[in-house]
Amino acid sequence: MLNILLLGNKTVGKTSLACRYINEEYSGKCKTTIGVDLFRKDLILNHNLVSVQIWDTSRHDGFKGTGEVFYREAHCCILVFDVTCRKSFESLNFWRNEFFVMANKQNPYEFPVTVVGTKIDLENDRKVSKQEAQDWCKSFSIPYFECSSKDDINVQQVFEAMTAKLVDTYKL
């Protein structure tokens, strides 16, 4: 079982991203996650059955201690921000740092992390350019994807790329 942890500010679209990938649907009426929501999908990669578990997190004061278990058990981390919300982009440093501290990962440049900019269907409301996000990611050698859960743009690619990276990293 490969564990993928989703981190980012609330309302950036973590739950919509997971639901679109797992259930291949978008409701637009996702409730705010309290604690962790778990999603699972089995897929075939390199002629092998691979089970992926996606942990959709929410950081609440009462959840903090429990969250550390999910951070430590994650095989990779997807940092999520909303391209229409500059504050969510500016929080990426916080989420990246918090993950590596709480997960007790020793080599942040070797651990599989990616960044996803969501809500690209709202292009007219964009506050963070693709170039700016790519530049931030490049400074940490992190892959960058942009997607829309609503319009089903690049959602599959995000999870397929991370799963393939994990299969390669963990020699599955």
Side-chain angles (χ1 to χ4, degrees):
M1 175 81 62
L2 296 173
N3 302 321
I4 299 174
L5 181 68
L6 301 178
L7 291 177
N9 291 5
K10 61 182 179 177
T11 73
V12 296
K14 297 181 302 291
T15 302
S16 292
L17 188 65
C19 285
R20 173 58 86 172
Y21 178 63
I22 299 296
N23 302 322
E24 298 179 9
E25 64 184 23
Y26 175 83
S27 75
K29 297 178 184 177
C30 293
K31 294 181 182 178
T32 300
T33 302
I34 297 175
V36 175
D37 281 339
L38 304 174
F39 300 88
R40 181 182 168 153
K41 186 168 189 163
D42 295 325
L43 47 127
I44 305 293
L45 257 168
N46 300 332
H47 307 291
N48 294 315
L49 178 65
V50 178
S51 294
V52 175
Q53 190 163 350
I54 300 169
W55 297 338
D56 172 20
T57 63
S58 174
R59 187 167 180 247
H60 294 280
D61 292 336
F63 173 70
K64 191 172 182 182
T66 309
E68 291 177 18
V69 172
F70 289 97
Y71 283 57
R72 283 192 305 270
E73 296 297 320
H75 294 107
C76 74
C77 179
I78 297 178
L79 303 174
V80 183
F81 79 97
D82 171 355
V83 300
T84 70
C85 178
R86 174 151 291 281
K87 184 178 180 181
S88 70
F89 174 71
E90 292 169 350
S91 295
L92 289 178
N93 281 318
F94 167 81
W95 290 111
R96 182 180 178 276
N97 293 338
E98 176 170 277
F99 173 75
F100 285 111
V101 168
M102 289 181 65
N104 198 24
K105 305 291 183 195
Q106 302 302 318
N107 299 313
Y109 287 93
E110 294 175 14
F111 189 83
V113 174
T114 197
V115 171
V116 174
T118 61
K119 304 184 186 182
I120 62 168
D121 53 287
L122 301 173
E123 186 62 35
N124 292 337
D125 298 323
R126 185 185 276 268
K127 302 288 187 276
V128 180
S129 72
K130 185 173 184 176
Q131 187 63 54
E132 184 178 13
Q134 288 173 326
D135 290 346
W136 187 91
C137 290
K138 186 176 181 181
S139 71
F140 295 104
S141 300
I142 297 173
Y144 177 63
F145 293 88
E146 289 192 336
C147 69
S148 167
S149 298
K150 180 182 176 189
D151 292 344
D152 196 17
I153 300 170
N154 293 333
V155 174
Q156 292 286 122
Q157 289 84 342
V158 169
F159 290 101
E160 287 173 3
M162 283 308 292
T163 303
K165 171 84 172 162
L166 291 174
V167 166
D168 184 54
T169 299
Y170 296 103
K171 308 296 181 216
L172 300 175

